[in-house]
Amino acid sequence: MKYREKATVLSCEEIGTGIFSLRLGAEQIASSASPGQFVSVYSRDSARLLPRPISVCEADAEHGILRLVFRIAGKGTREFSRCREGDQLDLAGPLGNGFDLSVAQGKRVFVIGGGIGIPPMLGTAKCLAARGQNVTAVLGYRDERFLADEFPCRTVIATEDGSCGTRGNVLDAIREAQLDADVIFACGPTPMLRAIRQYSMDRRILCWLSMEEKMACGIGACLSCVCRSTDIDAHSQVRNKRVCTEGPVFLATEIEL
Amino acid sequence: MTHNMSVDICGVKLKNPVMTASGTFGSGAEFSEFFDLNRLGAVVTKGVASVPWAGNPVPRICETPSGMLNAIGLQNPGFEVFAHRDLKFLSETLLPDADPAGSGLEDIAYADAGNAAEAGANAAAGNPANGGIGTKVVVNVCGHSEEEYIDCVEKLAQEPRADLLEINISCPNVREGGIAFGTDPKGVERITAAIRKAARQPVIMKLSPNVTSIAEIARAAEAGGADAVSLINTLTGMKIDVERRTFALANRTGGLSGPAIHPVAVRMVYECAHAVRIPVIGMGGIQTAEDALEMILAGACAVSVGTASFHDQTAVLSVIDGIADYLQRHRVPDIRDLVGCL
Ligand SMILES: Cc1cc2nc3c(=O)[nH]c(=O)nc-3n(C[C@H](O)[C@H](O)[C@H](O)COP(=O)(O)OP(=O)(O)OC[C@H]3O[C@@H](n4cnc5c(N)ncnc54)[C@H](O)[C@@H]3O)c2cc1C
Ligand SMILES: Cc1cc2nc3c(=O)[nH]c(=O)nc-3n(C[C@H](O)[C@H](O)[C@H](O)COP(=O)(O)O)c2cc1C
Ligand code: FES
């Protein structure tokens, strides 16, 4: 079930340079969102028509609280960063499929996040840890870290400038720490996802990747947000899958990158 | 006071003059999670061709001030899947007319403004006192060639759930299969005549605004036997990403839609309504009832709401309720009294 909900801002905090953590009272969405799903956030400026897709960082069903963590990337996210306690924000969600945590049952899991792809991996890691799973978080940053101390599991870090952890990318960190896993869940920039996809295929590791694309409806109606699939997709009848509906999480082998 | 919201488009009765715009609403399934489709005058489906089309590469859209550009490229699953999945969904979801023979528009009075939702529900339930007109289905058709359009239209002749056909001869994002057919009056007349001959349902020709005189194109469609025209499709535009020094869309150009194009669309609806005798369906940037009423006063018998649904899934319902409210406030007994009264 998808909801259109007026959320109430509980807090908006800058947790890194230009990176904000927004806690929202959004009972309906929080009660049904799962890790890897996203919400459409609508601007209050009617000149900005299209929703901004933002991943669910954490959803607290019990208290009806949704947490979004985003980076200022343009006018819409700048507007959201100026939210104050008590403000209202229009949302639609939860949208998309999310990570299927049941596939990781009894397996060793890598939760890999790169840059602003880290927020959805926090909720994912917390849910896996709560199920008593063997989880290792691998986080890649350019320089400044955020959210890293909140991961409830073993966490290895890579930074491009070497200021923390391994100098390099997430795969360099995995190699340096000589880690291994049976299942990968990942979100981050396309070059990172491409490298992880290759890594998982070389090692025959089951791997799920969360993809990004520009969206207009966010609910599967407009066909704006497609990515190329390896096989003909049942919905489209061509080799296109909708990131907002069949995704944003895809099996690495079902898409082209 | 009760007032009449229903209109007649080429012999097909709509419970109210508000429809969705092709390509912005899929076939309705996704939006049915947000509201009851039975409240709509009609569902207009995404363009369908006789075989699947892959569409354009991404990025396919970008936002522009009070609007957006799209270059989806008419991706569609082809007629077979459309008929078995989408039309099936619509026939299962939409209630039929209470009285298929039609009791005549004169008896119809529905939508008490203060209570439009309930009136909508009554009409949906087929309550004859409230009109009992079911939501109609307009199937939007695209093709790469005249033969492809005809093939699809002939197949649709067998589909009872397709009440009206809207022929897209105006997509700016696919060279053959869109704009190529829609910008030359002689070509428009010819393809309209060919489609009219093959079609069982009334034919609405959807016109491009990317022409010198849209009235001339509307006259050509009328001469070819079109039962109605709808306009406007999107206006060709371009956006450049200055930071990356690239085109914002992979297709370089895309079609502009949304509130930004509304005044252009109103002007074009007005011109066409004065140029032809067949019904004109107005669309382009409608977000509110006021926007829709502008189109109606300019001569549109019915309207479509497109891009606004991306900002608000229930925008089309606000338009319907707002029109009912307007009729009430201005003591207008019949929406048809407003059509083209300027
Ligand atoms: C499934 C999904 C989940 C996401 N989760 C997060 C998250 O948790 N945190 C976060 O910071 N960012 C996330 N993003 C990226 C975020 O959507 C964009 O940064 C945001 O839309 C930018 O909006 P803007 O108005 O600030 O930028 P502008 O550049 O002004 O936006 C213009 C238009 O382009 C769209 N757009 C711009 N960048 C992107 C992008 N990368 N992806 C999709 N659309 C874009 C906007 O939605 C808007 O319609 C996610 C994207 C997707 C597709
Ligand atoms: C994403 C998108 C897809 C569209 N697809 C189609 C289509 O398949 N066939 C068609 O005739 N028009 C298509 N259109 C045009 C709309 O139906 C409508 O004519 C136009 O967008 C203007 O109305 P609006 O401003 O209310 O959106 C599309 C528009 C958008 C924004
Ligand atoms: S954003 Fe419309 S289909 Fe995905």
Side-chain angles (χ1 to χ4, degrees):
Chain A
M1 183 74 191
K2 302 183 179 89
Y3 302 95
R4 175 84 183 205
E5 192 168 10
K6 246 192 200 349
T8 306
V9 175
L10 304 175
S11 67
C12 181
E13 203 189 328
E14 187 162 9
I15 58 169
T17 313
I19 294 172
F20 290 79
S21 169
L22 193 58
R23 280 179 202 277
L24 299 163
E27 249 168 61
Q28 290 173 312
I29 296 175
S31 67
S32 51
S34 55
Q37 287 190 297
F38 68 97
V39 293
S40 274
V41 188
Y42 297 86
S43 171
R44 277 164 291 186
D45 180 343
S46 64
R48 287 197 282 277
L49 285 179
L50 300 182
R52 272 58 182 163
I54 303 287
S55 301
V56 171
C57 173
E58 291 181 78
D60 175 351
E62 196 186 328
H63 301 98
I65 297 173
L66 197 64
R67 183 183 186 195
L68 309 179
V69 171
F70 61 91
R71 167 184 285 154
I72 295 183
K75 292 192 182 119
T77 44
R78 171 155 293 116
E79 174 194 324
F80 307 147
S81 75
R82 294 187 176 137
C83 282
R84 291 290 160 265
E85 190 186 335
D87 286 355
Q88 301 227 297
L89 213 48
D90 263 323
L91 305 181
L95 306 177
N97 58 352
F99 292 104
D100 179 1
L101 303 187
S102 66
V103 298
Q105 193 65 46
K107 305 212 166 100
R108 294 168 303 163
V109 191
F110 278 163
V111 162
I112 308 180
I116 204 61
I118 290 171
M121 304 325 295
L122 175 61
T124 306
K126 284 194 178 173
C127 284
L128 287 166
R131 291 163 167 238
Q133 293 266 135
N134 176 339
V135 197
T136 305
V138 187
L139 310 179
Y141 298 90
R142 190 167 302 141
D143 39 39
E144 189 186 15
R145 274 176 302 156
F146 58 91
L147 295 181
D149 345 320
E150 294 189 43
F151 279 77
C153 55
R154 174 167 188 200
T155 304
V156 296
I157 288 172
T159 49
E160 281 174 22
D161 66 354
S163 59
C164 178
T166 303
R167 177 195 290 272
N169 61 32
V170 288
L171 290 176
D172 296 327
I174 289 171
R175 285 188 204 103
E176 189 173 280
Q178 296 187 336
L179 297 170
D180 214 352
D182 312 304
V183 173
I184 294 176
F185 295 133
C187 182
T190 305
M192 180 191 107
L193 296 184
R194 201 174 279 140
I196 293 173
R197 179 172 183 270
Q198 195 55 52
Y199 172 89
S200 72
M201 284 162 130
D202 292 346
R203 285 170 184 70
R204 299 180 175 278
I205 302 175
L206 276 174
C207 174
W208 278 267
L209 306 172
S210 180
M211 301 282 288
E212 265 191 17
E213 192 43 68
K214 295 265 163 80
M215 296 183 180
C217 71
I219 59 173
C222 72
L223 310 179
S224 297
C225 65
V226 299
C227 68
R228 193 114 173 98
S229 55
T230 37
D231 291 321
I232 288 185
D233 168 67
H235 177 266
S236 71
Q237 294 294 306
V238 291
R239 285 172 54 199
N240 280 338
K241 288 185 185 286
R242 297 167 295 181
V243 171
C244 71
T245 303
E246 281 78 46
V249 175
F250 293 99
L251 194 57
T253 48
E254 85 184 300
I255 48 164
E256 289 185 357
L257 251 178
Chain B
M1 187 178 83
T2 55
H3 44 249
N4 174 51
M5 283 277 279
S6 72
V7 296
D8 184 307
I9 303 276
C10 347
V12 175
K13 285 173 193 161
L14 306 186
K15 67 165 75 182
N16 64 58
V18 186
M19 334 192 251
T20 59
S22 177
T24 61
F25 203 73
S27 292
E30 294 80 12
F31 281 85
S32 69
E33 289 194 53
F34 292 89
F35 68 90
D36 180 3
L37 301 183
N38 285 292
R39 293 215 43 216
L40 300 170
V43 171
V44 183
T45 57
K46 168 75 185 166
V48 64
S50 46
V51 293
W53 290 14
N56 287 329
V58 293
R60 289 178 168 185
I61 57 148
C62 68
E63 192 180 62
T64 59
S66 297
M68 63 178 284
L69 290 172
N70 91 80
I72 307 294
L74 296 174
Q75 180 187 321
N76 77 85
F79 176 82
E80 291 305 322
V81 167
F82 173 78
H84 291 124
R85 180 183 64 202
D86 299 35
L87 284 179
K88 180 164 173 279
F89 162 79
L90 287 167
S91 31
E92 287 165 1
T93 306
L94 302 178
L95 296 152
D97 288 344
D99 173 11
S103 50
L105 282 172
E106 274 45 68
D107 305 336
I108 293 160
Y110 112 75
D112 182 62
N115 218 342
E118 195 184 295
N122 284 340
N127 181 345
N130 282 319
I133 302 174
T135 297
K136 298 303 181 318
V137 175
V138 182
V139 176
N140 184 286
V141 177
C142 53
H144 285 119
S145 63
E146 193 170 307
E147 296 73 56
E148 214 182 324
Y149 280 104
I150 304 274
D151 185 28
C152 198
V153 163
E154 279 175 348
K155 287 174 173 157
L156 281 162
Q158 317 299 319
E159 295 297 330
R161 192 54 268 202
D163 297 300
L164 288 152
L165 308 183
E166 182 180 55
I167 313 297
N168 181 4
I169 50 163
S170 47
C171 178
N173 304 319
V174 180
R175 254 168 61 84
E176 338 67 38
I179 202 114
F181 294 100
T183 50
D184 159 48
K186 286 209 180 63
V188 170
E189 184 175 340
R190 205 193 57 233
I191 197 162
T192 307
I195 289 168
R196 183 53 281 174
K197 225 171 94 203
R200 178 181 65 80
Q201 297 90 341
V203 170
I204 305 163
M205 298 304 284
K206 183 159 177 182
L207 309 186
S208 169
N210 303 306
V211 292
T212 312
S213 167
I214 197 164
E216 196 185 340
I217 304 286
R219 274 192 294 265
E222 184 177 45
D227 299 288
V229 289
S230 61
L231 57 129
I232 59 177
N233 208 317
T234 54
L235 285 152
T236 311
M238 177 183 280
K239 183 171 165 67
I240 291 169
D241 182 329
V242 177
E243 290 302 318
R244 294 196 184 84
R245 297 187 200 166
T246 57
F247 300 97
L249 301 179
N251 191 52
R252 299 190 177 186
T253 59
L256 183 62
S257 64
I261 69 170
H262 184 251
V264 178
V266 173
R267 185 263 293 177
M268 290 185 164
V269 164
Y270 180 81
E271 287 175 357
C272 290
H274 283 79
V276 298
R277 307 170 76 95
I278 51 177
V280 173
I281 298 164
M283 68 196 75
I286 296 176
Q287 219 175 8
T288 63
E290 194 182 333
D291 301 335
L293 286 159
E294 277 192 57
M295 293 270 190
I296 291 169
L297 292 170
C301 302
V303 296
S304 286
V305 177
T307 301
S309 298
F310 297 155
H311 185 73
D312 175 0
Q313 290 81 4
T314 58
V316 57
L317 298 189
S318 315
V319 171
I320 296 169
D321 293 344
I323 293 175
D325 185 50
Y326 178 92
L327 297 184
Q328 181 92 345
R329 269 194 301 121
H330 290 266
R331 304 191 170 280
V332 179
D334 193 324
I335 181 73
R336 291 168 298 167
D337 296 343
L338 297 178
V339 175
C341 72
L342 278 184

